[in-house]
Amino acid sequence: MILLCGIPSESPLALVGEALDSICAPYLWFNQRHFASSDMAFDIDERGITGWLEIDGQGVPLESVTGVYSRLMEHAKLPELRGQAADSPARRHCDALHDTLGRWTEISPARVVNRVAPMGSNSSKPYQAQLIRQHGFEVPASLITTDAHEVLAFRDQHKKIIYKSISGVRSIVQAFDDADLGRLASLRWCPTQFQQYVPGTDVRVHVVDDEVYATRIESEAVDYRYAKKQVGEPARLSAMELDDDVAERCVALTRGLGLVFSGIDLKFAPDGRIYCFEVNPCPGFSYFELNSGQPIALVVARHLAMAD
Amino acid sequence: MWLVLCETHDAAASWAYSSLRARGLAPLEILSAEQLALSEFQEHRLDGPRSTLRLRTESGLQVDGQRLGGVLNRLWTVPIGHWRQAGEADRNYVQQELFAFFLSWLHALPCPVLNRPTPQGLCGQWRQESEWAWLARQAGLPVAAYRQTSRDTVDESRGERRLVPAGATVHTAIVVGARVVGAAIPSAIADACVRLSALARTPLLGVDFVQSPDGWRFAGASPTPDLRLGGEPLVDALMHELRQSERAAA
């Protein structure tokens, strides 16, 4: 049995559900919005990890769950909890249910795509960049500083630089230009990340276990995800083949980060170097699948089903 | 230079600092999370294969990450008191940014760091009781059965979920590398503590036990144990671990 966790209408989850249907793999929805009619318990003892999950009156032993695809949204923001006091029975049950599910997925012997702890590397871009570097990819020269003079020297060295958040919050890449000079004084109170601008072709690589799908992205925007806002037209996506060596490094990087499924952002620079900007541990792949025709959801579904 | 990094009122860290200093580990400095966050100059670079850190605190202490001999790291949070006037969204953002910054530069330090940071904790991975119970079983420690349900009424925010009843007398053994100090536990249990430390990738680990009629029973673990419980043997072990790079250079 495969468990899909989140809100079924969310695009990546919906696509994986459809893919599981197409290969006739049995699955069960853990619909967060139905928390009121869901219950869960698990035990850790000499038998290992056992337990029970009940959803809308249907119960399954946790030992029968062999695959989990989780895209849980922040449950405190569920519409069903709107207006509920912090200590209301509904909110407390929702908290306890998600806590129980979260703890079980971290230790469950099932194939979990992905467990929460390994996803944490994405919460610090320079931390993750140090891990990425170990897998043979270039990472852009980066400076995190509270000092304006260091920023100006960094710009002199690299000519064109960008700035972006260090964490995963407000993660929008912006070009640094003269209009930003007046704001450098405020660096003193929060170190800020600057990076060399790397020209070239953006490539998103989705890795599922040892399968690799690469998508070329063409856009004039500094951050293609916001291409329409930044340059007035959306990015153009197309499937592409990677050299075996690059594909193998993408698989090794994904495994090295403790992930099964990843979305890797590469840039193929004109000088032949391949830079890796980040590894997204919970990729919203539907944008790429729907624009490139690559069967990413099907590969995720097959991976989950193979454990059965 | 060696560093002890800690929260402002970490008495165990202050004790370790004084003890290491008395043993002649020098130069040794102690820096609080607040002093680090308020450093007047902070610079962390990734350039090719190199990662560097340079800090200058408000008191003028200069830290060069490449020149550190070792770090006893007990950082847990990154204080943002200097942002108290900002709105909640901005404060949350700064908190995340500073955590991400500390995580990266701590990871980049080439010297021995007890413990190295993880995304789940600046001084080692924070784990839920269920995960500790599972790891402890795998390490061969005696662990009581753990059960959790979505109908439990414990208040997680107050730490009410425990592996042993509240108020039980807890004995703490502390793993430092391959040594175990603190509570006088049987050698088989000590060996299992070292295995737990390895499984948890946390070389400095406090492992709590209660004594039951059946013997010692696992009660929890922490990357920030009260170091004072380890006494002088713990200082010996810390000296050994923190001087590794010095020995390697020799």
Side-chain angles (χ1 to χ4, degrees):
Chain A
M1 175 66 72
I2 293 157
L3 186 63
L4 302 183
C5 304
I7 296 180
S9 59
E10 199 238 2
S11 297
L13 266 177
L15 287 173
V16 171
E18 288 169 18
L20 287 168
D21 284 332
S22 74
I23 59 173
C24 301
Y27 65 96
L28 182 67
W29 286 106
F30 173 85
N31 183 344
Q32 291 180 273
R33 300 187 65 176
H34 292 188
F35 66 84
S37 55
S38 304
D39 270 305
M40 185 174 185
F42 73 92
D43 297 277
I44 305 169
D45 54 29
E46 63 281 354
R47 295 170 300 163
I49 303 165
T50 56
W52 188 258
L53 174 63
E54 187 154 322
I55 299 171
D56 297 331
Q58 183 186 355
V60 292
L62 291 175
E63 304 88 279
S64 71
V65 177
T66 51
V68 180
Y69 180 48
S70 181
R71 285 187 61 86
L72 293 170
M73 70 168 283
E74 201 178 329
H75 67 267
K77 292 182 177 168
L78 287 170
E80 287 73 15
L81 290 175
R82 204 169 289 144
Q84 294 275 351
D87 61 349
S88 74
R91 199 174 278 279
R92 289 178 71 159
H93 175 64
C94 189
D95 286 347
L97 178 67
H98 281 83
D99 185 57
T100 308
L101 176 66
R103 289 181 186 226
W104 174 76
T105 52
E106 284 305 274
I107 56 174
S108 164
R111 289 188 166 192
V112 179
V113 179
N114 284 311
R115 294 187 208 273
V116 172
M119 293 206 283
S121 72
N122 197 230
S123 65
S124 171
K125 310 293 185 200
Y127 167 74
Q128 193 189 59
Q130 293 176 65
L131 305 179
I132 288 169
R133 209 166 49 181
Q134 295 168 2
H135 291 273
F137 289 107
E138 301 280 341
V139 298
S142 304
L143 166 69
I144 302 166
T145 188
T146 52
D147 189 291
H149 296 102
E150 297 291 334
V151 177
L152 296 175
F154 188 70
R155 185 170 73 158
D156 284 347
Q157 179 187 355
H158 294 287
K159 308 307 174 202
K160 188 172 177 182
I161 61 175
I162 60 93
Y163 61 99
K164 64 180 188 180
S165 64
I166 310 169
S167 68
V169 183
R170 300 184 189 176
S171 180
I172 300 174
V173 182
Q174 301 277 359
F176 179 84
D177 55 34
D178 288 346
D180 296 306
L181 293 173
R183 299 196 295 142
L184 286 178
S186 57
L187 289 181
R188 168 70 182 91
W189 303 108
C190 186
T192 301
Q193 177 168 229
F194 300 85
Q195 276 184 348
Q196 73 174 122
Y197 172 75
V198 178
T201 304
D202 285 302
V203 175
R204 162 56 79 97
V205 181
H206 287 101
V207 176
V208 185
D209 196 16
D210 57 1
E211 294 208 43
V212 178
Y213 289 88
T215 312
R216 180 187 290 109
I217 300 132
E218 291 164 275
S219 172
E220 299 304 312
V222 173
D223 188 336
Y224 69 80
R225 298 169 302 169
Y226 302 93
K228 188 145 192 183
K229 187 176 174 187
Q230 291 184 349
V231 296
E233 60 175 320
R236 297 173 300 283
L237 277 59
S238 56
M240 70 174 280
E241 286 294 319
L242 291 177
D243 289 347
D244 287 349
D245 162 58
V246 179
E248 283 164 16
R249 274 188 275 158
C250 289
V251 170
L253 171 57
T254 302
R255 286 196 182 139
L257 295 179
L259 302 169
V260 177
F261 183 26
S262 70
I264 302 175
D265 287 328
L266 300 181
K267 189 161 250 185
F268 287 61
D271 63 4
R273 296 185 202 197
I274 302 175
Y275 286 81
C276 179
F277 287 89
E278 72 173 283
V279 180
N280 186 325
C282 191
F285 66 88
S286 47
Y287 167 68
F288 298 91
E289 173 155 340
L290 297 172
N291 284 282
S292 70
Q294 292 164 309
I296 301 165
L298 183 61
V299 178
V300 173
R302 281 189 184 139
H303 174 78
L304 293 167
M306 272 198 296
D308 256 335
Chain B
M1 180 194 291
W2 282 263
L3 289 178
V4 175
L5 307 179
C6 59
E7 304 296 304
T8 303
H9 302 294
D10 184 344
S14 298
W15 172 84
Y17 167 73
S18 302
S19 303
L20 291 167
R21 210 178 159 122
R23 291 290 186 89
L25 190 67
L28 175 67
E29 301 286 344
I30 185 166
L31 285 173
S32 71
E34 197 157 39
Q35 286 173 298
L36 290 166
L38 287 171
S39 292
E40 60 183 24
F41 175 81
Q42 303 176 50
E43 182 205 87
H44 173 38
R45 288 175 187 264
L46 272 59
D47 196 0
R50 294 183 71 229
S51 305
T52 59
L53 167 76
R54 289 193 302 149
L55 296 175
R56 187 174 61 247
T57 67
E58 286 187 317
S59 64
L61 177 69
Q62 307 227 24
V63 175
D64 179 343
Q66 301 298 306
R67 293 171 178 268
L68 290 175
V71 176
L72 174 60
N73 171 27
R74 289 171 60 89
L75 292 174
W76 200 244
T77 56
V78 182
I80 56 162
H82 51 303
W83 279 81
R84 69 173 68 86
Q85 302 296 332
E88 188 181 358
D90 283 342
R91 275 187 284 121
N92 289 340
Y93 172 69
V94 171
Q95 184 91 60
Q96 303 269 352
E97 287 291 283
L98 289 179
F99 185 93
F101 174 55
F102 275 47
L103 170 59
S104 184
W105 69 252
L106 281 165
H107 176 80
L109 296 177
C111 62
V113 179
L114 291 174
N115 290 313
R116 288 203 166 270
T118 74
Q120 288 76 33
L122 286 177
C123 62
Q125 186 168 344
W126 178 88
R127 296 170 196 271
Q128 293 156 323
E129 296 82 357
S130 48
E131 196 174 354
W132 280 123
W134 181 236
L135 285 176
R137 270 185 187 277
Q138 290 178 292
L141 287 167
V143 187
Y146 177 92
R147 180 174 178 76
Q148 180 167 351
T149 86
S150 54
R151 295 288 167 186
D152 292 348
T153 55
V154 297
D155 187 342
E156 302 285 354
S157 65
R158 295 170 63 177
E160 288 178 358
R161 190 178 296 284
R162 294 188 176 93
L163 296 175
V164 295
T169 301
V170 169
H171 306 268
T172 302
I174 304 175
V175 182
V176 187
R179 304 183 192 196
V180 182
V181 299
I185 50 177
S187 63
I189 299 281
D191 290 346
C193 287
V194 174
R195 286 196 293 274
L196 176 62
S197 163
L199 282 170
R201 296 182 301 278
T202 309
L204 173 53
L205 182 71
V207 188
D208 293 338
F209 294 94
V210 290
Q211 273 193 300
S212 70
D214 300 332
W216 296 85
R217 205 171 70 195
F218 178 74
S222 166
T224 50
D226 185 344
L227 300 172
R228 293 169 294 187
L229 299 170
E232 290 304 307
L234 180 114
V235 183
D236 289 341
L238 286 179
M239 286 291 285
H240 178 81
E241 296 296 324
L242 293 173
R243 286 204 134 140
Q244 270 183 8
S245 53
E246 203 178 47
R247 287 195 301 276

